[in-house]
Amino acid sequence: QVQLKESGPGLVQPSRTLSLTCTVSGFSLTSYGVSWVRQPPGKGLEWIAAIWSGGSTDYNSALKSRLSISRDTSKSQVLLKMNSLQTEDTAMYFCARYRGTYVMDAWGQGASVTVSS
Amino acid sequence: EIVLTQSPTTMAASPGEKVTLTCRASSSVSYMHWYQQRSGTSPKLWIYETSKLASGVPNRFSGSGSGTSYSLTINSMETEDAATYYCQQGSSYPLTFGSGTKLEIK
């Protein structure tokens, strides 16, 4: 069945770079896109970035200067990097399968990221 | 950026009650997606392209709307429907979500 699993460092110091990995199974990254969404504690959802099945990328313009999304299809992994982290970046980070009409039809369990010294 | 405003922010409904959640967009969008999120879990796709139920979603749920006004309706509230519901637009970047409606059981 379709599964996505996020992994990451948990705790990151301010001003450092966050690296998150989304490992997928049950579908191919060359057939579906993957999107990243974050949710600060007690708050709503914010779309961060996406990589399409063809490899093209889209970013939230508010965060674009700090973001990089890429993939390794041989490992079924999507990588998200965010630099210059601040405490406001503390959140649960989800990856989700992404398809036409920009819908996210399957989600991972999330990776908790805390930005603190 | 298209801003999505959901109302009400919080509501409580009794079992069997009809419930309608609203999502209004700051500009016209072609369709709306809805997600259900229970406490401590990841969001689940619930309704896509305005009115299509995701796999496994009970048919007491329905979605409708066009332009700047969309809604999610529960025909007869059940205990398991207590959750937060988010709308999401895909008509223009950046993709945006509403701030959510927390639905509780009375």
Side-chain angles (χ1 to χ4, degrees):
Chain A
Q1 74 271 31
V2 172
Q3 290 188 321
L4 302 97
K5 187 169 185 179
E6 305 87 347
S7 56
L11 179 66
V12 182
Q13 292 183 327
S15 80
R16 307 283 259 190
T17 296
L18 170 66
S19 293
L20 292 170
T21 300
C22 176
T23 303
V24 310
S25 59
F27 69 97
S28 170
L29 292 178
T30 57
S31 297
Y32 290 87
V34 169
S35 211
W36 286 93
V37 174
R38 70 180 180 178
Q39 184 171 37
K43 296 192 176 180
L45 302 169
E46 180 182 30
W47 175 75
I48 299 172
I51 186 164
W52 286 94
S53 57
S56 61
T57 58
D58 290 302
Y59 297 97
N60 186 325
S61 53
L63 302 168
K64 186 174 183 177
S65 64
R66 300 197 290 138
L67 292 173
S68 172
I69 188 170
S70 62
R71 67 182 185 179
D72 184 336
T73 55
S74 67
K75 294 182 179 179
S76 295
Q77 292 181 333
V78 175
L79 312 174
L80 180 74
K81 292 193 175 183
M82 180 184 295
N83 60 32
S84 305
L85 251 62
Q86 302 300 321
T87 54
E88 309 87 80
D89 297 311
T90 293
M92 185 71 77
Y93 286 74
F94 299 99
C95 62
R97 192 174 74 167
Y98 187 55
R99 56 182 173 86
T101 69
Y102 306 92
V103 65
M104 290 165 252
D105 68 355
W107 294 62
Q109 63 192 22
S112 180
V113 173
T114 300
V115 182
S116 174
S117 54
Chain B
E1 171 176 321
I2 295 179
V3 176
L4 301 180
T5 302
Q6 291 189 241
S7 59
T9 303
T10 306
M11 71 171 294
S14 301
E17 185 177 344
K18 184 174 183 177
V19 172
T20 298
L21 312 182
T22 298
C23 178
R24 299 198 191 281
S26 59
S27 299
S28 182
V29 298
S30 301
Y31 41 75
M32 195 66 72
H33 309 307
W34 294 85
Y35 301 86
Q36 181 197 68
Q37 186 178 33
R38 293 198 176 106
S39 182
T41 68
S42 55
K44 289 181 183 176
L45 177 63
W46 214 244
I47 295 174
Y48 63 102
E49 295 168 16
T50 301
S51 60
K52 299 174 183 177
L53 300 186
S55 177
V57 174
N59 61 13
R60 61 181 177 273
F61 285 86
S62 63
S64 64
S66 65
T68 60
S69 185
Y70 292 83
S71 61
L72 178 157
T73 299
I74 307 173
N75 243 359
S76 178
M77 176 77 180
E78 296 199 8
T79 305
E80 66 182 23
D81 301 336
T84 300
Y85 294 85
Y86 293 95
C87 56
Q88 177 240 319
Q89 64 82 22
S91 289
S92 72
Y93 282 109
L95 306 185
T96 49
F97 292 88
S99 55
T101 291
K102 185 175 183 179
L103 177 60
E104 299 172 328
I105 193 79
K106 215 182 270 184

